[in-house]
Amino acid sequence: MGSHDNALASNSFLADKSAKVFVAGHRGLVGAAIVRKLTQLGFTNLVLRSHAELDLTRQYDVEAFFASKKPEYVIVAAAKVGGIHANNTYPADFISINLQIQTNVIDSAYRNGTKKLLFLGSSCIYPKFAPQPIPEDALLTGPLEPTNEWYAIAKIAGIKMCQAYRIQYKWDAISGMPTNLYGPYDNFHPENSHVLPALMRRFHEAKINGAKEVVVWGTGSPLREFLHVDDLADAVVFMMEKYSGLEHLNVGSGKEVTIKELAELMKEVVGFEGALVWDTSKPDGTPRKLMDSSKLAGIGWTPKISLKDGLVDTYRWYLENYKL
């Protein structure tokens, strides 16, 4: 921490539950979890706007919103997100929409007296061949994964913008980079969802349809890391209260699971009685992707939700919200 960071850290986020808190992107996987957590903690003045009410890509509208509402705290969980196919098909959307959202929100927050802002990104900001587990200082040390560089470049610019405003204006802007997330309000679309919700949906549909087997691509050997969004929301509150530094922080579970272990656990949670078959003619993807979250752990935060408990919770939500 630089000398001015200590002074900035004197704002206590949890001390004033009536403070105005703007959660940008409150209807998404991450934003919804943050709103649940803040409501649980007794925050009474959350400022929320749907996309229809406030388009964050429109500079004039964002400036007018901040000038009128003047939130004391801002959490940026709004982003244009998607899988490999979407990134390949709509690269202009991924770079321009994300740059617009974060630039408008960060700048307007600073200009309208926001005390503290937290910008959220993703683990895809790191180089394709980063060391494993990936430390924060691996950022910008090598080429990105080409399939999502449009999104990654925007998120890296957001980190740098928070750092620049901290340096130039002595303003308390921080960044957190979560690992692979899952939980309520995830995207369970059969074509463009991530591996965990896709597996949940496939096992569920196989169970409902009485299928004999579920075929999964690859050998099941790649290692992945997953964090329940409620754990991320807990980390967000912790960072708003305890962290005030220039460097972004990784937010991960620190626990690795093979795709095979994940599939077997998912089969058990969903209650699919058939066979699990591996199509080893299909590619495996990156052998390992794990973030080094020891900096955040060193400050005092660790996740609380086990993968099994998190899957049970997510499947309960899925059953209540997705009708076949």
Side-chain angles (χ1 to χ4, degrees), residues 200 203 207 262-272 307-316 319:
M200 182 169 285
F203 279 119
K207 180 176 86 166
L262 174 67
E264 285 167 353
L265 192 55
M266 189 72 79
K267 179 177 184 284
E268 181 192 330
V269 166
V270 170
F272 173 63
L307 185 58
K308 173 84 180 279
D309 290 347
L311 291 180
V312 168
D313 168 74
T314 306
Y315 188 50
R316 189 185 304 123
L319 289 175

Side-chain angles (χ1 to χ4, degrees), residues 162-177:
C162 287
Q163 291 176 343
Y165 276 55
R166 175 176 287 273
I167 292 163
Q168 185 172 334
Y169 299 126
K170 312 289 183 278
W171 184 52
D172 198 2
I174 59 173
S175 299
M177 299 296 124

Side-chain angles (χ1 to χ4, degrees), residues 154-232:
K155 287 295 176 184
I156 293 167
I159 294 172
K160 291 295 166 191
M161 189 167 173
C162 287
Q163 291 176 343
Y165 276 55
R166 175 176 287 273
I167 292 163
Q168 185 172 334
Y169 299 126
K170 312 289 183 278
W171 184 52
D172 198 2
I174 59 173
S175 299
M177 299 296 124
T179 186
N180 300 313
L181 300 166
Y182 71 99
Y185 297 93
D186 205 344
N187 172 16
F188 293 88
H189 190 280
E191 261 79 68
N192 58 14
S193 58
H194 293 119
V195 61
L196 190 151
L199 279 174
M200 182 169 285
R201 181 175 180 137
R202 290 186 59 205
F203 279 119
H204 175 72
E205 290 181 349
K207 180 176 86 166
I208 297 302
N209 298 327
K212 295 279 187 287
E213 61 180 40
V214 165
V215 179
V216 184
W217 280 22
T219 64
S221 65
L223 288 156
R224 292 293 180 269
E225 176 187 27
F226 298 98
L227 185 73
H228 192 287
V229 276
D230 289 348
D231 266 335
L232 172 62

Side-chain angles (χ1 to χ4, degrees), residues 124 240 321:
C124 78
M240 288 296 284
N321 291 276

Side-chain angles (χ1 to χ4, degrees), residues 9-32:
S10 62
N11 294 327
S12 172
F13 177 63
L14 290 168
D16 183 8
K17 304 281 176 63
S18 64
K20 276 188 195 170
V21 184
F22 174 45
V23 181
H26 75 283
R27 287 187 167 173
L29 170 70
V30 174

